[in-house]
Amino acid sequence: MKHFPLHFGGVDRESTDTRDQVDPATERVWATCAEASNGDVDAAVGSAATAYRQWATLAPGRRAEHLLAFASALEARADHVSRIESRSNGKPIRETRLQVAFAARMLRYFAGLADKVFGHVVPLDASDVLDYYTREPHGVCALIVAWNSPVQLTVNKIAPALAAGNTVVVKPSELASASVIELARIGSRAGMPPGSFNVVTGGATVGEALCHHPDVALISLTGGIRTGRRVAQIAGERLVPVVLELGGKSPQIVFADADRSRAISGIVAGIFAAAGQSCMAGSRLYVQEPIFDEVMRELAHSASQIRIGDPLLPETEMGPLITSEHRERTLDVIGEAVSTGAHVLTGGRATGVGASKRGYFLEPTILVDVTPSMRCVREELFAPVLVAQPFTALEEVAALADDGTHGLAAGIWTQDVSTAMRLAAQIRAGTVWVNDYRRVSAGAPFGGFRSSGHGRERGLESLRTYTTTKNVVINYGAQARDPFTIGTS
Ligand code: NAD
């Protein structure tokens, strides 16, 4: 049985407790991960605080060299890391491979930005005074991530944080920690200074201990809304900045003039890739009335063709849900929808793969005849469940899309640029794709409106997240000032 220890101060550390890691595709324990104690959390933050003194003052070009070496080392171990990740969370290897490659790309992107964290000179109405400000790192950042894309979510945070001069303590999800431990080991072997990138594993208790630690200067969470509220509460008590990347219930909107085959492929990708266990899952579908029935027929056919199977096989398109409880919860919501008038167009049942029919698999599911008040329409299910409704006009669908409290992403399918731009302007979401879906880049900011969170990851915006300003005012004139008036300029 494989074991993944804690990793901080540049080396593996054993813990008193461990936690089983269950492969959701086989329902079997495949590894154990360390469970950090409060003492471990304290020691990991201590390592990060000590490392911060050197890392923050290292020439930015040197920090960039470390991140580039880390990226190369990750690329060299990409297959190994993606296999661990697919084992841990059941995401098909065809996607985890891309995500690990993207993580290396992110490290390179932010290595390139490390020496471009510019300050500004402030133009003043006063002579003999120079006012400039710099962007400074916060210090030790506590970075807590979800289980659905552990390596990519971690790198979304550590790449800008480290490039800007912070040091980090990452806590992956207790459900899928192994690939993040492996990532930290790769970083240390590639020469990342000990203590710059630390990992502690465990559940909510470990996460809270980390958030409460007095030496943590910023908290960033990728997780669910309930966890977001709790973490924001701790950050509020401690008065430290908090970044929240939370859930979504993202609408996909198809107009009658859309390129049908591209739209179908985008809708399938939006909800069934990653078995719907993606924050940006396009889980609500609105199709313009004249083409609704036809689009639903084509979608039901596409969904029934999806290859469900062993996540480690390259041909697998959809893996299992993360736990049996998660599948049960999803089936309950489907059952509740059906009992209040919804119809299952396709799917809707638990399934398994292989001779033993094991694994927490769920058929790709499409529900029609849903109403806006149903739980399946309002709540993030984080599962391969699409709810579909017809609409007639742009204003109507703009209101439907905006209904609810989330605001992470949206997809618009039309060939009319005016329709696309008018609707994009009305939707409150951090990302709006037009004739595309689920495309991310290192340079584009990602994050939510409303309860989907605040703060942005990736791109130049994330350097703002991981820095704060320091204004320096230098009076080089010869005159003393009236001490009893404020100096303005
Ligand atoms: P979760 O909120 O249960 O857990 C997320 C992380 O927070 C885990 O590491 C968990 O151990 C930790 N945690 C839980 N309670 C905590 C507490 N009280 N204090 C500190 N840490 C705590 O979420 P999950 O089930 O792991 O992930 C699914 C959720 O993540 C979905 O809602 C999904 O939309 C969201 N997500 C968002 C994004 C994004 O970029 N917006 C990306 C991926 C996932």
Side-chain angles (χ1 to χ4, degrees), residues 144-147 171 174 208 222-224 227 245-247 279 380 382:
I144 301 175
V145 298
W147 49 265
K171 194 205 81 61
E174 63 278 26
E208 291 211 10
T222 298
T227 308
E245 297 290 339
L246 308 178
C279 57
E380 178 189 51
F382 220 54

Side-chain angles (χ1 to χ4, degrees), residues 35 55 146 326 430 472:
E35 182 82 5
W55 183 252
H326 183 39
V472 179

Side-chain angles (χ1 to χ4, degrees), residues 86-100:
S86 288
R87 206 82 202 282
S88 304
N89 67 2
K91 187 175 268 194
I93 190 89
R94 60 165 67 191
E95 174 132 322
T96 50
R97 279 200 178 118
L98 278 177
Q99 288 191 310
V100 172

Side-chain angles (χ1 to χ4, degrees), residues 201-479:
T201 45
T205 314
V206 178
E208 291 211 10
L210 188 56
C211 294
H212 276 296
H213 197 288
D215 289 339
V216 163
L218 175 146
I219 303 169
S220 176
L221 165 79
T222 298
I225 287 173
R226 191 169 340 139
T227 308
R229 288 206 176 91
R230 177 68 192 127
V231 165
Q233 198 179 21
I234 300 172
E237 281 161 14
R238 294 201 44 232
L239 297 176
V240 294
V242 62
V243 181
L244 300 172
E245 297 290 339
L246 308 178
K249 188 75 187 177
S250 301
Q252 289 250 50
I253 299 152
V254 185
F255 286 87
D257 71 340
D259 177 325
R260 191 78 58 82
S261 66
R262 284 178 65 187
I264 298 282
S265 147
I267 295 159
V268 167
I271 185 65
F272 298 127
Q277 299 172 117
S278 162
C279 57
M280 61 180 88
S283 50
R284 288 186 291 149
L285 174 64
Y286 301 100
V287 182
Q288 208 162 20
E289 189 77 66
I291 60 165
F292 182 80
D293 290 341
E294 213 175 311
V295 166
M296 296 321 297
R297 257 197 309 278
E298 287 179 39
L299 269 176
H301 176 71
S302 291
S304 68
Q305 301 298 302
I306 291 171
R307 288 190 294 253
I308 300 176
D310 178 352
L312 290 171
L313 295 176
E315 62 268 26
T316 296
E317 293 173 331
M318 212 181 96
L321 297 196
I322 187 72
T323 58
S324 153
E325 296 74 33
H326 183 39
R327 184 171 65 175
E328 284 311 308
R329 263 197 311 273
T330 309
L331 287 167
D332 281 353
V333 178
I334 294 172
E336 185 186 296
V338 169
S339 70
T340 51
H343 288 100
V344 176
L345 188 65
T346 185
R349 291 173 307 181
T351 182
V353 301
S356 55
K357 292 278 167 212
R358 292 177 85 92
Y360 311 126
F361 294 87
L362 180 69
E363 292 174 344
T365 301
I366 302 177
L367 297 175
V368 291
D369 301 321
V370 295
T371 56
S373 61
M374 287 180 180
R375 226 158 34 113
C376 63
V377 177
R378 305 202 79 74
E379 288 181 13
E380 178 189 51
L381 302 186
F382 220 54
V385 180
L386 181 68
V387 295
Q389 286 172 262
F391 73 93
T392 49
L394 188 146
E395 291 66 31
E396 177 199 1
V397 80
L400 284 168
D402 218 30
D403 192 22
T405 62
H406 299 92
L408 196 60
I412 301 171
W413 301 88
T414 176
Q415 304 207 50
D416 181 338
V417 71
S418 159
T419 300
M421 292 186 72
R422 279 165 57 217
L423 189 52
Q426 290 182 55
I427 290 177
R428 284 181 286 177
T431 299
V432 178
W433 286 285
V434 177
N435 297 331
D436 209 342
Y437 204 82
R438 225 165 162 256
R439 180 185 298 279
V440 295
S441 79
F446 186 82
F449 278 38
R450 305 196 278 179
S451 62
S452 291
H454 55 77
R456 290 293 178 264
E457 298 203 310
R458 309 198 197 112
L460 290 171
E461 290 297 326
S462 63
L463 281 181
R464 283 185 213 276
T465 300
Y466 289 103
T467 53
T468 188
T469 59
K470 180 188 284 173
N471 193 42
V472 179
V473 184
I474 303 171
N475 184 337
Y476 54 90
Q479 303 289 316

Side-chain angles (χ1 to χ4, degrees), residues 13-290:
R13 314 271 180 161
E14 283 314 328
S15 60
T16 317
D17 292 329
T18 60
R19 188 188 283 262
D20 289 345
Q21 299 290 295
V22 177
D23 177 346
T26 62
E27 307 180 25
R28 296 203 172 90
V29 175
W30 71 279
T32 55
C33 278
E35 182 82 5
S37 64
N38 283 350
D40 294 325
V41 170
D42 190 43
V45 175
S47 295
T50 305
Y52 178 70
R53 287 183 220 121
Q54 271 91 46
W55 183 252
T57 52
L58 202 61
R62 287 287 301 135
R63 287 204 296 267
E65 283 166 18
H66 282 298
L67 292 173
L68 290 173
F70 188 179
S72 299
L74 179 57
E75 278 161 350
R77 300 289 286 155
D79 192 56
H80 171 70
V81 175
S82 25
R83 293 181 81 78
I84 291 176
E85 185 132 316
S86 288
R87 206 82 202 282
S88 304
N89 67 2
K91 187 175 268 194
I93 190 89
R94 60 165 67 191
E95 174 132 322
T96 50
R97 279 200 178 118
L98 278 177
Q99 288 191 310
V100 172
F102 182 64
R105 158 119 186 78
M106 289 274 292
L107 288 168
R108 289 189 193 288
Y109 181 89
F110 284 97
L113 286 178
D115 60 359
K116 294 165 196 75
V117 184
F118 291 106
H120 286 275
V121 172
V122 182
L124 299 180
D125 264 353
S127 52
D128 299 344
V129 181
L130 173 67
D131 186 330
Y132 67 90
Y133 64 87
T134 52
R135 298 207 72 92
E136 310 267 322
H138 289 273
V140 177
C141 299
L143 310 176
I144 301 175
V145 298
W147 49 265
N148 63 320
S149 305
V151 165
Q152 189 185 313
L153 298 178
T154 297
V155 174
N156 284 348
K157 296 181 192 304
I158 66 168
L162 290 167
N166 303 277
T167 54
V168 302
V169 181
V170 176
K171 194 205 81 61
S173 165
E174 63 278 26
L175 299 175
S177 307
S179 52
V180 176
I181 293 284
E182 209 55 21
L183 181 72
R185 288 167 153 176
I186 290 169
S188 293
R189 282 200 293 266
M192 288 297 292
S196 53
F197 172 20
N198 311 279
V199 180
V200 290
T201 45
T205 314
V206 178
E208 291 211 10
L210 188 56
C211 294
H212 276 296
H213 197 288
D215 289 339
V216 163
L218 175 146
I219 303 169
S220 176
L221 165 79
T222 298
I225 287 173
R226 191 169 340 139
T227 308
R229 288 206 176 91
R230 177 68 192 127
V231 165
Q233 198 179 21
I234 300 172
E237 281 161 14
R238 294 201 44 232
L239 297 176
V240 294
V242 62
V243 181
L244 300 172
E245 297 290 339
L246 308 178
K249 188 75 187 177
S250 301
Q252 289 250 50
I253 299 152
V254 185
F255 286 87
D257 71 340
D259 177 325
R260 191 78 58 82
S261 66
R262 284 178 65 187
I264 298 282
S265 147
I267 295 159
V268 167
I271 185 65
F272 298 127
Q277 299 172 117
S278 162
C279 57
M280 61 180 88
S283 50
R284 288 186 291 149
L285 174 64
Y286 301 100
V287 182
Q288 208 162 20
E289 189 77 66

